[in-house]
Amino acid sequence: QVRLLESGGGSAQAGGTLRLSCVASGDSGSRGCMGWFRRVPGQARAGVGVIDRDGNTRYTDSVKGRFTVSKDNGKNTLYLQMNSLQPEDTGTYYCAAKVVCRLAGDVWYADALTTWGQGTLVTVSS
């Protein structure tokens, strides 16, 4: 059983910065990736970025160069550093554990076994 507690959402101006945190407890099982997903207005929930046990990361194209996924294993904490925020980044962001990942092939996605945080709202204004 994995439990995720997410924090750090809020409002920012375009060009600004936010940092999201997710504290994980319990057993994540055999899957090696955690990540961040978001639901933006008018769209389904989609991946933002993931990180594997070795610290390798992958990102959706729209956030490359602006967002960084990292983790602190000692604190069991996952982070999403969001720089150069744009209005299109507005949405609800979810921490995820048990993400399916085959990063050598740039494949990563959530499925029915993925567990989720409660979500935190990020609003970016022009």
Side-chain angles (χ1 to χ4, degrees), residues 31-97:
R31 295 190 184 187
C33 285
M34 297 186 67
W36 294 92
F37 291 68
R38 68 185 178 189
R39 190 184 304 277
V40 302
Q43 299 183 24
R45 185 159 55 188
V48 176
V50 294
I51 187 166
D52 70 11
R53 294 175 180 174
D54 296 320
N56 301 301
T57 57
R58 297 290 187 274
Y59 302 92
T60 191
D61 287 344
S62 62
V63 308
K64 288 179 180 177
R66 300 188 298 118
F67 290 11
T68 303
V69 177
S70 62
K71 61 180 179 178
D72 185 329
N73 290 330
K75 296 181 179 179
N76 296 314
T77 301
L78 183 74
Y79 302 98
L80 181 65
Q81 179 69 40
M82 301 185 292
N83 298 329
S84 301
L85 284 163
Q86 301 298 316
E88 54 264 36
D89 297 317
T90 293
T92 302
Y93 285 69
Y94 299 87
C95 177

Side-chain angles (χ1 to χ4, degrees), residues 96-118:
K98 298 184 179 180
V99 176
V100 178
C101 57
R102 299 187 293 275
L103 297 190
D106 296 321
V107 174
W108 51 281
Y109 57 91
D111 67 6
L113 297 180
T114 301
T115 58
W116 303 96
Q118 78 281 6

